Amino acid sequence: MTAVLGGCGLGGSDEVTLKLVAADYGNSKANGSQGYWDALVKEYEAKHPNVKVEVSVYSWTDVDRKVKDMVAAGDAPDMAQIGAYADYAAKDLLYPAGDVLSIPVQADFASQLANAGEVSGVQYGMPFAASTRLLFYNKTLFAKAGITAPTTWQELAADAEALKAEGVKYPYALPLGPEEAQAETMQWLLSGGGAYAGTTGTYDIDSTPNVETFTWLRDELVGKGLTGPVAPGELNRADAFAAFADGDVGMLNGHPSLMKAAAKKGVKFGMVPMPGLNGPASSVMGVADWMTAFKENGHGEEIGSFLDFVYNDKNVLAFSREYDLLPVTDSASEAMSTAAQDKDLKPFLDELPVSTLYPVGKTSWATVSAAVKKSIGQAVTPNGSPTGVLGQLQATASAADVAE
């Protein structure tokens, strides 16, 4: 393909402008992702004067909706770095990864992530960033309350009671607000022996284990005032992380980026596996965010050139280290696993190969994820019905599945 296309685009005289929509991984204006992309684009454009790359960065609350609106308006970006890809692939809007990436770059993706990026055996989702989750706890607040890190739900609730008695603002922060409710939800479902989908891949959101999990959350945490002054359905992940970094949270589920934010403010923290019913949860949540390449503007060659650059080890490691995320390529993961500067990330890196990811290969997942973000918080309100809320989410998921 390179031989065929070499005489146009990158090798020609016409300037091509690529539009990339990306998500913001920063926790403040100072380290927002716009700065990362600006520096990367500047370096790329210096070597490819006929290609310009315009990057628009949006918060995770807005980015998926923004891309959806652009596509609906017939103004798709050339690339979008977002949370889901399968619905676009099903509509034949995306280049397969193999049509844009060089063979060595595509082959370097961690196999678990590459497989998760497939629809009907073809990879459309290119993993961009990955993470797993651990339970973070504030060592200072725990010492003051005379408690140790929990390994079971019962211990977690008891620890939260002790923290509340010491006046801790958020004994356990439960962010079920619209920013990333689907992640907190999945971590709890897994810890209760459930999941979004069963082993056959069919949605099973209102399963008995899932209903029991959210009933326990409603009654034993939220109902007893152990989740803080903000209703879980109104508490976003970023705000919960910021509160932890301010020393106002006893425990919460966190991904690697929380380490830097907490350490910067002098918070002494520990990390343990998510507690389960009778011990540490047997399954851990893994998350991958996805790069997609849209066909609408016909810039496949230029997209491939830019993404080959994005995915070189230097850039993958720079991004991962800037935002305390896990690399998505084998070569960068190997480099990180042996580097002294990355030792804090190793517990997360070790969990990735055995983690459970969202059902992102289903074209219905974007619809289901959006529905979870919108309504799951209602399941844990004082008068909320986990059975009703999860039942409605299951109905939404089943209908979306049929629509596939």
Side-chain angles (χ1 to χ4, degrees):
M1 185 174 74
T2 301
V4 173
L5 296 176
C8 60
L10 294 177
S13 59
D14 293 339
E15 182 176 291
V16 170
T17 298
L18 300 177
K19 293 183 179 179
L20 165 63
V21 174
D24 194 353
Y25 290 82
N27 54 20
S28 68
K29 190 173 182 179
N31 78 331
S33 294
Q34 190 72 56
Y36 168 82
W37 284 110
D38 288 348
L40 188 147
V41 166
K42 183 178 181 180
E43 183 179 352
Y44 175 80
E45 289 180 347
K47 300 174 182 177
H48 303 85
N50 291 339
V51 181
K52 302 298 179 186
V53 184
E54 296 179 355
V55 183
S56 301
V57 175
Y58 298 91
S59 74
W60 273 111
T61 306
D62 300 325
V63 67
D64 287 284
R65 176 179 51 80
K66 181 66 177 178
V67 173
K68 185 177 181 180
D69 290 346
M70 292 173 71
V71 171
D75 186 30
D78 295 286
M79 295 164 285
Q81 184 264 301
I82 46 180
Y85 64 84
D87 50 339
Y88 298 124
K91 296 173 183 175
D92 196 29
L93 300 177
L94 302 179
Y95 288 108
D99 285 2
V100 290
L101 297 176
S102 65
I103 292 173
V105 170
Q106 185 181 11
D108 197 28
F109 287 132
S111 60
Q112 182 197 27
L113 300 178
N115 292 340
E118 294 181 352
V119 174
S120 301
V122 178
Q123 184 183 0
Y124 293 93
M126 294 167 272
F128 181 75
S131 70
T132 53
R133 298 290 198 272
L134 292 172
L135 183 76
F136 283 66
Y137 65 96
N138 184 310
K139 287 185 173 181
T140 303
L141 297 179
F142 266 57
K144 186 178 178 182
I147 55 178
T148 57
T151 61
T152 67
W153 286 3
Q154 185 177 3
E155 291 174 2
L156 186 150
D159 283 351
E161 288 276 14
L163 292 163
K164 181 182 178 182
E166 290 292 332
V168 176
K169 189 173 181 180
Y170 294 91
Y172 178 87
L174 184 66
L176 295 177
E179 181 188 10
E180 204 187 33
Q182 82 285 1
E184 184 74 11
T185 296
M186 182 170 173
Q187 185 63 75
W188 277 99
L189 296 183
L190 292 171
S191 72
Y196 281 121
T199 55
T200 62
T202 303
Y203 286 112
D204 199 17
I205 297 173
D206 61 349
S207 67
T208 297
N210 291 350
V211 171
E212 290 176 347
T213 292
F214 269 81
T215 300
W216 187 88
L217 284 172
R218 182 195 64 187
D219 296 343
E220 302 302 323
L221 286 188
V222 182
K224 293 183 177 179
L226 302 179
T227 54
V230 180
E234 299 174 7
L235 181 65
N236 279 326
R237 189 271 316 268
D239 295 328
F241 278 22
F244 186 85
D246 287 337
D248 292 332
V249 175
M251 299 173 279
L252 84 171
N253 281 318
H255 55 59
S257 68
L258 182 56
M259 294 188 298
K260 184 180 293 184
K264 186 176 181 180
K265 291 199 171 184
V267 173
K268 296 180 180 179
F269 61 89
M271 301 178 298
V272 294
M274 176 66 180
L277 276 169
N278 302 305
S282 58
S283 185
V284 177
M285 185 182 72
V287 176
D289 302 324
W290 305 96
M291 180 68 74
T292 55
F294 284 87
K295 297 194 295 185
E296 183 174 306
N297 301 316
H299 293 154
E301 184 193 8
E302 292 82 8
I303 291 170
S305 170
F306 179 66
L307 291 182
D308 276 359
F309 177 73
V310 167
Y311 283 110
N312 71 37
D313 278 358
K314 174 188 150 186
N315 292 326
V316 170
L317 286 169
F319 183 86
S320 300
R321 287 164 174 161
E322 174 65 28
Y323 299 108
D324 288 319
L325 292 165
L326 305 180
V328 296
T329 62
D330 288 333
S331 56
S333 293
E334 184 177 350
M336 179 173 279
S337 67
T338 58
Q341 72 184 96
D342 301 313
K343 66 180 186 300
D344 290 342
L345 283 169
K346 197 167 188 312
F348 297 94
L349 197 61
D350 290 343
E351 287 189 335
L352 189 60
V354 294
S355 61
T356 300
L357 275 71
Y358 297 128
V360 289
K362 297 173 72 65
T363 61
S364 54
W365 171 241
T367 297
V368 175
S369 177
V372 171
K373 290 180 180 183
K374 182 178 179 180
S375 65
I376 194 64
Q378 299 169 17
V380 297
T381 59
N383 298 316
S385 168
T387 301
V389 172
L390 294 177
Q392 182 57 53
L393 287 171
Q394 176 63 33
T396 298
S398 297
D401 248 356
V402 170
E404 288 185 10

